[in-house]
Amino acid sequence: MKTKEELKNRDTTPNKKTTYRNFPMVPRVIFGPGCFSQLGEILLPKRKNSDAPFIFLIDDFFENQEFASRIPLMFNDEIIFVSAEEEPKTEQVDTLVAHINEKFDEKPSGIIGIGGGTLLDLAKAVSILLNNKGLAKDYQGWDLVGRPSLYHVGIPTVSGTGAEVSRTTVLLGPEKKLGINSDYTTYDQVILDPDLTRTVPKDQWFYTGMDCFIHCVESLEGTYLNAFSKSYGEKALELCKEVFLDDLSESESRDKLMMASWHGGMSIAYSQVGIAHAMSYGLSYLLGTKHGIGNCLVFQHLGEFYPRGVELFKQMVQKHQIELPQGTCANLTQDDFDTLINVALGMEALWENALGPNWKTIMTPKRLQGLYEKI
Ligand code: ZN
């Protein structure tokens, strides 16, 4: 991790000039139920020649499903189905890149990621590594990518992670779970078709949606908050409340959650997440817990830090009759707890955002272990 100055939007140290981050946004986006059918015409002008394929990285949930037949394949385009059972890994990125480089003489025209956060993150990383030498782990960190990535398109089929708008791709590496955070990570094109989220299993819908809800709470309650983040965070929070606490029609609910994810992602782009994310990273690193569910496991116990948010969260859990797993940390050794604590406390910017500059005096390792023990 870089220092807090590099992670914060502005550095307010006295006698130092204030600098603001200049961050990229997705330049092209299409939204609407059924808009996926326009993918072929969107890709056509981006085809370099008939030997330069588009590579579609698709969640293997869709293998042998009718959806796969709607992929607009031409020439030597390839579909690669990828399991999203586990959090994306740097090794997985390297294997995909090696496969593509070996199989095709010509560099692909682009990479299309179709799925939830895992697939969206993998596709971003693959597009970076196809244009930059070395291994994925070499680029985990801030602004380490030297050359623009290959043209890449993100198509979410689950709403909530905000991976479709973010300038990072979070990967589990050999030594750390950390994003490739760069100006070249952001998608060139995003396709927001709420109909693609029709088939999401209910638990996954809920956990991924809660990722968005938690982005909003952590951004809005954070010390890094500014008018930019607030405007997006408030809108996303309002949409989450409608989706998870009101009785919307299914199609309205899909549309709104997709836009909540987008706005929630925009909100954290210019601020930071907080305690639930820091702790969830620990769970993911040690136990492989998936991001959305990990956030929920942690967030339920954070009432002293996010009272209103946790109250709403519990109402949502109840309304949708979600059974959160219990005893996740029940059989851990002290060594395991130490790993959890080290990974979590390593996310300095998240803690500073949540608790302010004196966070180390507030969140001691002992207090943090107490929180993990409840999970
Ligand atoms: Zn998240």
Side-chain angles (χ1 to χ4, degrees), residues 36-52:
F36 178 78
S37 62
Q38 287 171 245
L39 179 60
E41 41 184 292
I42 289 170
L43 296 183
L44 202 55
K46 301 289 179 186
R47 283 188 187 275
K48 289 189 259 183
N49 60 60
S50 56
D51 292 327

Side-chain angles (χ1 to χ4, degrees), residues 114-227:
I114 304 178
T118 297
L119 265 292
L120 294 182
D121 276 357
L122 278 175
K124 287 179 187 176
V126 168
S127 72
I128 289 171
L129 267 294
L130 281 169
N131 269 0
N132 288 271
K133 289 195 170 68
L135 298 172
K137 70 176 170 61
D138 304 337
Y139 297 98
Q140 281 181 292
W142 276 68
D143 298 313
L144 302 174
V145 181
R147 302 188 59 220
S149 49
L150 203 66
Y151 174 76
H152 53 307
V153 179
I155 308 180
T157 61
V158 187
S159 295
T161 66
E164 66 279 18
V165 283
S166 73
R167 94 191 261 291
T168 192
T169 157
V170 183
L171 301 172
L172 196 60
E175 284 142 37
K176 56 199 166 191
K177 181 175 177 183
L178 186 60
I180 298 180
N181 206 313
S182 85
D183 282 352
Y184 304 126
T185 308
T186 316
Y187 275 111
D188 297 299
Q189 166 83 57
V190 168
I191 306 225
L192 298 179
D193 181 346
D195 279 355
L196 299 183
T197 66
R198 273 172 192 269
T199 49
V200 178
K202 185 175 175 191
D203 275 11
Q204 205 191 340
W205 164 80
F206 186 83
Y207 295 136
T208 312
M210 285 303 105
D211 186 23
C212 176
F213 173 71
I214 295 168
H215 290 159
C216 299
V217 173
E218 294 192 323
S219 170
L220 292 170
E221 301 288 323
T223 61
Y224 290 4
L225 189 65
N226 53 69

Side-chain angles (χ1 to χ4, degrees), residues 33-307:
C35 73
F36 178 78
S37 62
Q38 287 171 245
L39 179 60
E41 41 184 292
I42 289 170
L43 296 183
L44 202 55
K46 301 289 179 186
R47 283 188 187 275
K48 289 189 259 183
N49 60 60
S50 56
D51 292 327
F54 273 108
I55 311 289
F56 296 82
L57 301 180
I58 306 180
D59 188 324
D60 68 1
F61 173 83
F62 292 107
E63 203 167 0
N64 305 317
Q65 292 218 10
E66 183 263 332
F67 174 73
S69 66
R70 295 178 57 203
I71 307 295
L73 296 175
M74 283 178 82
F75 309 120
N76 56 347
D77 287 356
E78 176 158 306
I79 292 179
I80 302 176
F81 288 105
V82 181
S83 164
E85 278 301 306
E86 294 182 357
E87 294 281 277
K89 296 185 178 58
T90 53
E91 269 173 26
Q92 223 179 336
V93 174
D94 298 330
T95 307
L96 285 164
V97 170
H99 165 80
I100 294 166
N101 281 333
E102 270 163 37
K103 177 154 183 186
F104 300 98
D105 297 332
E106 190 103 12
K107 192 163 275 189
S109 295
I111 303 294
I112 323 295
I114 304 178
T118 297
L119 265 292
L120 294 182
D121 276 357
L122 278 175
K124 287 179 187 176
V126 168
S127 72
I128 289 171
L129 267 294
L130 281 169
N131 269 0
N132 288 271
K133 289 195 170 68
L135 298 172
K137 70 176 170 61
D138 304 337
Y139 297 98
Q140 281 181 292
W142 276 68
D143 298 313
L144 302 174
V145 181
R147 302 188 59 220
S149 49
L150 203 66
Y151 174 76
H152 53 307
V153 179
I155 308 180
T157 61
V158 187
S159 295
T161 66
E164 66 279 18
V165 283
S166 73
R167 94 191 261 291
T168 192
T169 157
V170 183
L171 301 172
L172 196 60
E175 284 142 37
K176 56 199 166 191
K177 181 175 177 183
L178 186 60
I180 298 180
N181 206 313
S182 85
D183 282 352
Y184 304 126
T185 308
T186 316
Y187 275 111
D188 297 299
Q189 166 83 57
V190 168
I191 306 225
L192 298 179
D193 181 346
D195 279 355
L196 299 183
T197 66
R198 273 172 192 269
T199 49
V200 178
K202 185 175 175 191
D203 275 11
Q204 205 191 340
W205 164 80
F206 186 83
Y207 295 136
T208 312
M210 285 303 105
D211 186 23
C212 176
F213 173 71
I214 295 168
H215 290 159
C216 299
V217 173
E218 294 192 323
S219 170
L220 292 170
E221 301 288 323
T223 61
Y224 290 4
L225 189 65
N226 53 69
F228 187 105
S229 291
K230 192 163 183 249
S231 63
Y232 285 105
E234 284 175 346
K235 187 67 207 176
L237 185 66
E238 182 190 313
L239 290 166
C240 284
K241 284 193 214 161
E242 287 182 51
V243 168
F244 292 101
L245 291 174
D246 294 351
D247 295 300
L248 303 179
S249 73
E250 280 188 23
S251 72
E252 204 181 353
S253 171
R254 283 195 296 269
D255 288 6
K256 288 191 168 181
L257 190 55
M258 193 155 254
M259 289 322 298
S261 175
W262 182 271
H263 283 80
M266 287 298 295
S267 181
I268 50 173
Y270 221 68
S271 64
Q272 250 306 347
V273 283
I275 301 175
H277 275 72
M279 290 182 65
S280 173
Y281 273 37
L283 292 177
S284 159
Y285 185 84
L286 181 73
L287 305 169
T289 312
K290 291 215 73 184
H291 182 70
I293 192 166
N295 283 347
C296 289
L297 290 176
V298 174
F299 194 69
Q300 60 181 330
H301 301 299
L302 298 183
E304 56 193 311
F305 305 101
Y306 305 114

Side-chain angles (χ1 to χ4, degrees), residues 213 217 221 237 299 306-314 316:
F213 173 71
V217 173
E221 301 288 323
L237 185 66
F299 194 69
Y306 305 114
R308 178 76 187 127
V310 174
E311 193 189 308
L312 284 170
F313 173 76
K314 288 185 173 165
M316 293 169 178

